[in-house]
Amino acid sequence: MSSNRVVVYKSPGEVAVESIDFPSLEVPQEVADHFGITKKAPHAAILKIVTTNICGSDQHMVRGRTTAPQGQTLGHEITGEVVETGEDVLFLREGDICSVPFNIACGRCRMCDEGKTGICLNVNPARAGAAYGYVDMGGWIGGQAEYVMIPYADFNLLKFPDRDQALEKILDLTMLSDIFPTGYHGAYTAGVTTGSTVYVAGAGPVGLAAAHSAQLLGASVVMVGDMNKDRLAQAESFGCVGIDLTAEGELTEMIAEIVGDPEVDAAVDAVGFEARGHGEGAGEAPATVLNDCMTVARAGAGIGIPGLYVTGDPGAVDDAAKEGTLGVRLGLGWAKSHSFATGQCPVKQYNRKLMNLILHDRAQIAQAVSATTISLDDAPRGYQEFDDGAARKFVIDPHGMVPA
């Protein structure tokens, strides 16, 4: 094989599918140079992509809201079949179908030893932590493609126990690479437990995953706030209570009408830095959701923040926000003794247990996020529809392996 096809960022609002070299068992040059290691990666594997999902954090790049360069390859939600392994890969075989955590981790550093694989110290010259197909994340080629290289494969890959079962449940299992663990992480770090009342800000795929996760964790009621009526309907389809943020009234009042109390036991920010103010036609206000969460979370509550915040946003509303400095009411959170959980989800902390929930029919994450299969060539359309507010999670099927 001599070529590969991958989704690339072209300009704000535009992606394309282009041909690149077939993956090799090598780490990016910038990683090798910075860490003083060889490019050769005998610890790596090459996967034939079974499914790869479009993520809201991809959209931040495609909207021109990051420093992503033209030609940036995309895709970090990857499930694939092993087709080649390096000589140091001991426990994977050709034909194995595996979930790929979006965090790239070496399995050797202090952070990996502590289970904090989202901030591995040996995979990105720019900062702790790396991901496939993402700006400032180490130069690793994205997985919205036909094939992809996975480093440190024995450590990173989660092998599914049965190939036929995996393909049967692939639309659920494909969510293990990011969205399901990320949503679960948001709910879990917010302290959701048996009987909790929960507010989730955002009914996009991550918010829906957080809402479904809150239900799995035992929440008594899960309220989801958004301005998109189709997405609110999707949240309500699996038992959540939708809160229309375009309606008149304070959020605390809306919550009180549902649970008899203006505050909740746990709150989750599944929106991030492109948040908007309340009301029809409200403008961008990047601290809105964080401030809402502090307002509605009771004293002593946890706030999980799987929503993405960045240090470089060229399209921000003001100079402070362009560098990630936001008008967050930290004094309120301090006064209420809130705890905040930020940063990338360490996928490996959760993915195996969530896989077991899927395989034993205890979690229906594909249904919760409205998984919708498209071809690799349809990726530009998927990006456009997602950006337009479609209440769906687009799953790219490059090789036609998803059962009809």
Side-chain angles (χ1 to χ4, degrees):
M1 299 179 187
S2 59
S3 66
N4 184 24
R5 298 172 70 232
V6 64
V7 179
V8 300
Y9 167 64
K10 301 294 288 183
S11 63
E14 181 186 5
V15 301
V17 181
E18 296 185 352
S19 294
I20 60 172
D21 291 339
F22 190 80
S24 59
L25 298 176
E26 294 181 332
V27 302
Q29 188 67 56
E30 63 186 272
V31 173
D33 290 346
H34 180 82
F35 293 104
I37 61 176
T38 177
K39 278 192 70 175
K40 184 180 178 183
H43 49 74
I46 295 174
L47 301 189
K48 176 182 178 181
I49 304 298
V50 176
T51 52
T52 174
N53 317 327
I54 297 175
C55 179
S57 54
D58 297 322
Q59 288 284 20
H60 295 310
M61 287 189 289
V62 173
R63 292 187 189 118
R65 297 300 298 270
T66 71
T67 56
Q70 181 180 1
Q72 168 75 53
T73 62
L74 301 175
H76 57 270
E77 299 194 13
I78 305 164
T79 305
E81 176 185 356
V82 176
V83 295
E84 183 180 345
T85 58
E87 59 189 14
D88 288 351
V89 178
L90 303 179
F91 304 108
L92 296 166
R93 301 288 182 268
E94 290 186 21
D96 288 345
I97 296 181
C98 305
S99 180
V100 184
F102 79 91
N103 324 111
I104 301 172
C106 72
R108 295 155 164 82
C109 71
R110 173 182 175 179
M111 293 297 103
C112 288
D113 283 345
E114 295 177 3
K116 300 173 182 176
T117 52
I119 44 175
C120 174
L121 302 176
N122 292 331
V123 287
N124 183 1
R127 58 173 65 114
Y132 304 91
Y134 213 86
V135 60
D136 295 332
M137 283 290 180
W140 303 87
I141 298 298
Q144 287 171 11
E146 294 172 330
Y147 297 88
V148 71
M149 186 276 292
I150 308 300
Y152 309 108
D154 276 328
F155 181 72
N156 282 309
L157 293 178
L158 174 65
K159 175 185 170 182
F160 299 138
D162 181 86
R163 178 187 174 89
D164 291 341
Q165 183 187 36
L167 289 173
E168 178 186 345
K169 295 181 176 293
I170 195 64
L171 287 181
D172 289 292
L173 295 171
T174 190
M175 306 303 169
L176 292 172
S177 57
D178 179 359
I179 181 176
F180 195 9
T182 292
Y184 191 92
H185 181 65
Y188 181 81
T189 56
V192 177
T193 187
T194 305
S196 296
T197 57
V198 182
Y199 175 68
V200 177
V206 170
L208 296 172
H212 185 45
S213 297
Q215 294 173 330
L216 293 171
L217 287 163
S220 59
V221 59
V222 181
M223 295 159 282
V224 181
D226 205 296
M227 302 180 189
N228 182 316
K229 291 178 173 54
D230 290 340
R231 290 182 171 181
L232 288 174
Q234 179 60 30
E236 291 168 347
S237 74
F238 60 95
C240 299
V241 180
I243 296 179
D244 184 355
L245 298 178
T246 66
E248 294 292 326
E250 297 295 324
L251 179 58
T252 50
E253 296 170 353
M254 298 177 186
I255 288 173
E257 288 181 6
I258 299 165
V259 296
D261 189 322
E263 294 182 318
V264 295
D265 296 322
V268 179
D269 171 2
V271 177
F273 73 100
E274 288 192 62
R276 308 184 75 82
H278 295 182
E280 196 76 50
E284 191 167 305
T288 294
V289 171
L290 290 171
N291 290 332
D292 279 351
C293 286
M294 287 185 283
T295 299
V296 305
R298 62 167 172 77
I303 299 174
I305 311 174
L308 178 67
Y309 290 87
V310 297
T311 56
D313 174 10
V317 293
D318 55 47
D319 288 340
K322 286 180 180 179
E323 62 177 18
T325 301
L326 310 179
V328 177
R329 295 183 64 196
L330 187 58
L332 175 61
W334 191 94
K336 296 176 78 172
S337 293
H338 287 155
S339 62
F340 301 84
T342 66
Q344 289 187 23
C345 165
V347 169
K348 282 175 62 66
Q349 288 190 20
Y350 305 104
N351 63 350
R352 185 177 298 276
K353 294 176 182 178
L354 295 178
M355 175 189 73
N356 289 338
L357 285 179
I358 290 169
L359 295 180
H360 293 280
D361 298 319
R362 295 294 303 277
Q364 288 77 40
I365 185 64
Q367 177 182 330
V369 301
S370 189
T372 302
T373 306
I374 60 174
S375 69
L376 183 61
D377 287 322
D378 276 340
R381 175 180 63 83
Y383 268 94
Q384 184 60 58
E385 291 186 12
F386 189 20
D387 194 46
D388 290 341
R392 289 182 283 174
K393 174 71 170 177
F394 288 102
V395 177
I396 299 171
D397 175 14
H399 297 282
M401 296 180 72
V402 176

